[in-house]
Amino acid sequence: MSAASRAPLRSNRTAVRVRSRAALAVGAAAAALLVSACSSGGTSGGGGQTGFITGADGIATAKEGERADAPDLSGETVDGGQVDVADYKGKVVVLNVWGSWCPPCRAEAKNFEKVYQDVKDQGVRFVGINTRDTSTGPARAFEKDYGVTYPSLYDPSGKLLLRFEKGTLNPQAVPSTLIIDREGKVAARTLQALSEEKLRKMLAPYLADGSGGSADSAKPEK
């Protein structure tokens, strides 16, 4: 084989190695982000994070004017649909990061569905982010077993989670729950499984500013 014919082969191998390294880097970064994965407790995060405070109940909040914009959270859902959280601007969004493999996620799932049914007519949307499930089958089974009717984005490698700006109320564990306010900004976060009572307490301050009826999204519910 001539040197000229070997060159394209070397080029192809190099491209494959580059793509493999990039995929490994994304996976490693996601794993580092979720270092506290599948824990029933959590903290406000590492040093240097500013602009929010964490209460004794483990719920961290940011004041209006100090909240970061939610990143682009869009894509295919566990059941093959499409969701774009930006479409829900004008509503309060409860964002729950979960995995079917995670015992605390199983413990809180019915609590989320119960609260969702109670508040969905008050200008509130629930969206899950399913992560680290290698296929959608276990995630769909989880939703069926626990009666979850709101949509969940399928994010097996954690790419969506990496879009949150460091030093803000970003998800750092599985489960994590965030509240996105009506302006599309991240207002609150907890890194623990939530009881029904605690979820209602976390959500309540953001229901007080109106029902959101005029900004209703035309997207159908699951």
Side-chain angles (χ1 to χ4, degrees):
M1 183 181 292
S2 68
S5 62
R6 287 196 298 270
L9 293 176
R10 288 196 296 270
S11 176
N12 289 340
R13 291 192 192 104
T14 300
V16 169
R17 284 197 295 270
V18 168
R19 287 194 295 269
S20 297
R21 290 193 192 105
L24 287 171
V26 170
L33 172 68
L34 300 176
V35 66
S36 301
C38 210
S39 167
S40 60
T43 65
S44 63
Q49 294 193 334
T50 59
F52 59 89
I53 58 173
T54 304
D57 56 4
I59 297 173
T61 56
K63 296 179 181 179
E64 285 191 71
E66 298 179 3
R67 299 171 184 171
D69 291 330
D72 172 26
L73 299 170
S74 61
E76 188 170 347
T77 61
V78 163
D79 63 358
Q82 292 287 324
V83 161
D84 186 345
V85 171
D87 290 342
Y88 300 140
K89 191 170 183 180
K91 294 185 175 296
V92 177
V93 177
V94 178
L95 190 72
N96 178 243
V97 180
W98 63 278
S100 69
W101 44 268
C102 169
C105 301
R106 295 194 286 271
E108 70 177 5
K110 288 187 177 180
N111 301 329
F112 275 72
E113 179 63 23
K114 176 65 166 61
V115 176
Y116 167 64
Q117 291 297 333
D118 288 348
V119 302
K120 65 181 182 179
D121 294 329
Q122 299 177 46
V124 181
R125 292 291 177 264
F126 277 46
V127 177
I129 297 181
N130 171 262
T131 190
R132 294 175 60 186
D133 273 313
T134 56
S135 70
T136 59
R140 290 197 303 270
F142 178 102
E143 291 185 331
K144 181 178 179 181
D145 289 345
Y146 294 98
V148 176
T149 60
Y150 53 84
S152 285
L153 291 160
Y154 181 54
D155 185 31
S157 66
K159 289 181 180 179
L160 294 179
L161 305 180
L162 290 172
R163 293 178 181 176
F164 285 85
E165 184 181 349
K166 291 182 179 179
T168 66
L169 292 173
N170 56 323
Q172 296 178 353
V174 180
S176 291
T177 299
L178 284 69
I179 303 293
I180 301 174
D181 69 17
R182 299 180 193 278
E183 299 301 318
K185 297 179 181 295
V186 183
R189 177 197 68 188
T190 190
L191 306 176
Q192 59 189 314
L194 293 176
S195 65
E196 180 184 335
E197 179 183 9
K198 203 163 189 178
L199 176 56
R200 290 184 189 279
K201 177 182 176 183
M202 184 178 181
L203 179 58
Y206 310 99
L207 299 180
D209 58 351
S211 65
S214 62
D216 197 5
S217 169
K219 292 178 74 66
E221 296 297 330
K222 277 183 62 182

